[in-house]
Amino acid sequence: MNLGTILFEKTGQAPSPSKDFHQLLITEKQVILRTWRISVRKDQRYIPPSQRKVPLEEFDEDTLFQTDISRIFGEDTLRLVHGIVCKDWLARLPKNILIQMASFLDLVDVARLGSVCRSLHKVCSSDELWEKIFLTHCDTISEETRALAQEVGWKKVFFTNKLQLQVQMRRRKERHSAELRRKTPPQEEKLPLTFVTQTNGNHVQ
């Protein structure tokens, strides 16, 4: 079967414990994922390879197909496929470089960049980027702020005003203290020891 011009091709084995072999193709019209089942069972030795095809214009909306590509070939490959399909060479750059570039943008431009495609939206919403942006606008980060960011995300912390941030950190500290009290078993009250001796018929305590 003539697929036309192949823009991208990658092959590889699925992550453990699967032994299946996969081939990913991008042509001028569609994205193709082929799978060869690898099994020691005799009844599965002659199963023909399966094939899934998605037109280029529908790829960005097919989240299940994207999840399979990411699971088999990794997030970097998925971002590369996005770049080819959307004809966006920027999206094909490694994630750490994109984050570094986006950290120098104004907030409005970060929002615009995130609206280009799904891949860039993930980059512009990532905790790694918003931690850098937070550091750009703040001289220091307290341990309480960092702990809160681990729970709710750096982007949410960045857009929370100082008063709300103080309230959230106080509530988090109260929850943490309450959890510690629940986990700490109550200590048994120690009663004073009583010694009884007998001297000349008199009891002394």
Side-chain angles (χ1 to χ4, degrees):
M1 182 177 61
N2 185 13
L3 298 175
T5 303
I6 296 178
L7 305 178
F8 177 79
E9 179 179 3
K10 187 170 185 177
T11 59
Q13 195 171 35
S16 180
S18 174
K19 301 296 183 182
D20 297 343
F21 186 80
H22 300 271
Q23 180 188 38
L24 178 63
L25 295 169
I26 303 178
T27 69
E28 294 176 316
K29 295 182 178 181
Q30 56 194 354
V31 181
I32 304 171
L33 180 62
R34 293 171 176 166
T35 300
W36 285 262
R37 298 293 180 186
I38 308 298
S39 175
V40 296
R41 294 175 53 181
K42 292 183 179 180
D43 59 336
Q44 295 186 1
R45 288 183 180 179
Y46 303 103
I47 297 178
S50 60
Q51 180 172 266
R52 295 169 59 188
K53 298 180 180 179
V54 175
L56 297 186
E57 59 271 15
E58 298 178 9
F59 177 79
D60 199 43
E61 302 299 326
D62 196 331
T63 56
L64 182 60
F65 194 44
Q66 295 176 40
T67 300
D68 287 340
I69 293 176
S70 177
R71 176 180 57 83
I72 297 168
F73 296 103
E75 188 68 26
D76 288 340
T77 298
L78 176 60
R79 187 167 54 253
L80 180 61
V81 173
H82 263 296
I84 297 173
V85 171
C86 301
K87 298 180 180 179
D88 187 350
W89 293 92
L90 181 63
R92 299 177 65 173
L93 292 174
K95 183 179 179 181
N96 61 324
I97 295 179
L98 287 172
I99 289 174
Q100 186 66 22
M101 293 171 59
S103 66
F104 293 104
L105 298 176
D106 294 332
L107 297 181
V108 174
D109 293 327
V110 172
R112 289 172 178 169
L113 180 63
S115 65
V116 172
C117 65
R118 194 182 302 273
S119 178
L120 290 177
H121 176 74
K122 289 182 179 180
V123 171
C124 293
S125 301
S126 66
D127 261 4
E128 297 94 329
L129 172 61
W130 284 98
E131 183 178 4
K132 285 181 175 293
I133 294 175
F134 196 101
L135 284 169
T136 302
H137 291 78
C138 301
D139 296 332
T140 58
I141 300 178
S142 65
E143 290 300 323
E144 291 83 1
T145 302
R146 191 174 294 277
L148 181 63
Q150 295 297 322
E151 291 185 4
V152 302
W154 282 102
K155 184 176 182 179
K156 185 174 182 179
V157 171
F158 180 84
F159 284 108
T160 303
N161 64 46
K162 291 184 178 180
L163 180 59
Q164 291 176 331
L165 192 60
Q166 290 174 358
V167 171
Q168 290 189 27
M169 286 191 294
R170 186 177 68 250
R171 289 176 178 173
R172 181 187 178 279
K173 188 175 182 180
E174 291 173 352
R175 289 198 308 269
H176 184 65
S177 299
E179 290 176 0
L180 287 178
R181 287 195 297 270
R182 286 197 300 269
K183 293 179 180 179
T184 304
Q187 296 183 354
E188 296 181 358
E189 183 179 357
K190 295 183 179 181
L191 299 176
L193 296 176
T194 302
F195 298 95
V196 179
T197 59
Q198 184 173 2
T199 305
N200 298 327
N202 297 322
H203 293 279
V204 180
Q205 292 186 351

